[in-house]
Amino acid sequence: MRSPVRSGVAVIAAGVLGAGIALTATPASESDRDGSGRGQPATASQIYQDEIKDYGVCRGTDPVCYHEWGNGWVEGEEKRILIWSRTAGPRHAHLGTPLGAGLNPPLNADNVAQAGLKAWAEERGIVVDYTEDLASFGNLNRYQAVVFLSSNRDTLDDTAQTNLMQYVRRGGGFVGIHNAFGAEYHWPWYEGLLGGANFYDHAPHRDGTVETIDGDDVSTSFMPSEWAFKDEWYNLEPYPSYVNVLLEVDEATSLNGRTAGHPGHGAEHAVSWCHYYDGGKAWLTTLGHDAAAWTDTAMVNDDLFRQHVVEGLESAMGIKPFCTV
């Protein structure tokens, strides 16, 4: 199995965290910027990520980038998360009708992703709050993870952006699912939180073959080396860098190349990854488009998706080991 770590390793200078100095990055070679060891040419996007765009924060797979300042779960503490699903643009069917005001408003019958994730977390003894109300996107320090569940476009205002940054910098966990990659396009810090990645376009919703790249992580250790799943298979620009790639989709099944000259991808097509970022932990997946994946409706390998999400959530919270490489 090839190394899952992408695009070099962050160089950590002594005292850099305390000084708040932006890290520089050691790029991979011109012929192997994707970190795969296959000697494939770098795309323009990968060169851009490695040499220019470092987001000015400590990021990568080394836990030296983590701040143990109070937002990670500790033994004996209540386990609690916040699900954020506010959309300021096209709304995925799995989110259903927009939620009412306040914290934990009544869920509608079509809010299947919110209800599904809530139920899965509660099965693990995790208390779940959820909202789409900006006035309720505060006091984040009571949570070990904040989940952006297909929350898209300009989903946060200035105050909420500050709240999220301060939460992550205090050691908070962030989980981004599916169209969380279509959010906050004009906010570079958030793009970095996603792993230096963003949604560009996607292939038609269709069957594909998922490849398990890192089978040692808690969110993948139960998976076969390949498994079938149905999704939209997001194309990304920029492409994730300085992350631990967990899953990819076989490009022969994903229609990755349907956009001629797509700028973001080399030969690999990541769909899940994790990394440390600006003091916090981020676990990310582009999977989860199909409403059936969030319900009891039969769908091929929805059990693998469900366990992937919940184990990734618990790792970002600090309940289980995070982003092992």
Side-chain angles (χ1 to χ4, degrees):
M1 181 173 67
R2 67 178 175 79
S3 170
V5 180
R6 290 300 186 126
S7 300
V9 179
V11 177
I12 311 297
V16 72
L17 295 180
I21 300 171
L23 299 179
T24 57
T26 302
S29 69
E30 288 281 339
S31 62
D32 186 29
R33 287 189 191 270
D34 68 357
S36 69
R38 296 177 178 176
Q40 296 160 350
T43 67
S45 176
Q46 289 164 344
I47 295 172
Y48 173 62
Q49 284 289 87
D50 283 352
E51 295 184 349
I52 300 173
K53 202 161 190 177
D54 68 3
Y55 302 97
V57 303
C58 183
R59 70 185 186 108
T61 58
D62 193 325
V64 71
C65 290
Y66 180 62
H67 292 166
E68 297 186 78
W69 294 352
N71 279 345
W73 182 77
V74 295
E75 189 72 35
E77 184 180 26
E78 179 185 65
K79 303 171 185 177
R80 197 177 197 101
I81 65 170
L82 177 68
I83 300 174
W84 176 252
S85 54
R86 178 178 183 266
T87 54
R91 189 172 175 90
H92 271 68
H94 61 235
L95 293 182
T97 308
L99 301 183
L103 192 66
N104 302 331
L107 289 175
N108 305 297
D110 58 357
N111 299 134
V112 297
Q114 299 94 321
L117 182 55
K118 180 176 182 290
W120 302 346
E122 288 174 344
E123 289 174 357
R124 302 288 183 102
I126 299 169
V127 178
V128 178
D129 290 330
Y130 57 91
T131 188
E132 294 181 1
D133 187 349
L134 283 165
S136 298
F137 194 79
N139 193 24
L140 299 183
N141 290 332
R142 66 191 299 211
Y143 305 109
Q144 292 98 28
V146 172
V147 182
F148 273 40
L149 179 58
S150 287
S151 46
N152 67 8
R153 303 297 175 87
D154 293 327
T155 184
L156 302 178
D157 60 13
D158 287 348
T159 299
Q161 286 184 345
T162 300
N163 288 341
L164 181 63
M165 282 195 295
Q166 296 296 69
Y167 166 76
V168 169
R169 287 171 176 170
R170 194 169 179 259
F174 178 84
V175 173
I177 299 176
H178 200 53
N179 208 218
F181 285 86
E184 300 294 330
Y185 281 109
H186 306 293
W187 187 18
W189 183 90
Y190 180 81
E191 180 179 277
L193 180 64
L194 296 178
N198 232 320
F199 171 77
Y200 184 83
D201 65 3
H202 62 75
H205 185 217
R206 61 167 288 170
D207 294 326
T209 300
V210 178
E211 301 170 330
T212 303
I213 302 303
D214 179 4
D216 295 326
D217 190 78
V218 296
S219 68
T220 56
S221 61
F222 49 90
M223 292 177 171
S225 59
E226 293 186 352
W227 48 283
F229 199 63
K230 190 172 187 177
D231 220 289
E232 286 182 319
W233 312 119
Y234 279 8
N235 291 318
L236 305 168
E237 167 56 23
Y239 187 78
S241 57
Y242 299 90
V243 304
N244 182 37
V245 174
L246 303 170
L247 301 175
E248 293 176 354
V249 62
D250 181 351
E251 65 172 1
T253 66
S254 68
L255 289 184
N256 180 34
R258 75 175 186 88
T259 304
H262 186 274
H265 291 275
E268 281 81 40
H269 190 158
V271 295
S272 295
W273 56 92
C274 57
H275 68 131
Y276 295 91
Y277 184 78
D278 202 13
K281 301 172 180 176
W283 186 93
L284 305 140
T285 185
T286 65
L287 301 178
H289 171 76
D290 201 314
W294 302 98
T295 70
D296 292 332
T297 302
M299 179 179 172
V300 174
N301 287 323
D302 57 355
D303 56 332
L304 293 180
F305 170 74
R306 178 170 59 251
Q307 189 171 355
H308 183 52
V309 169
V310 177
E311 299 287 351
L313 171 64
E314 288 191 326
S315 74
M317 294 175 70
I319 298 170
K320 293 183 177 176
F322 177 73
C323 207
T324 53
V325 294

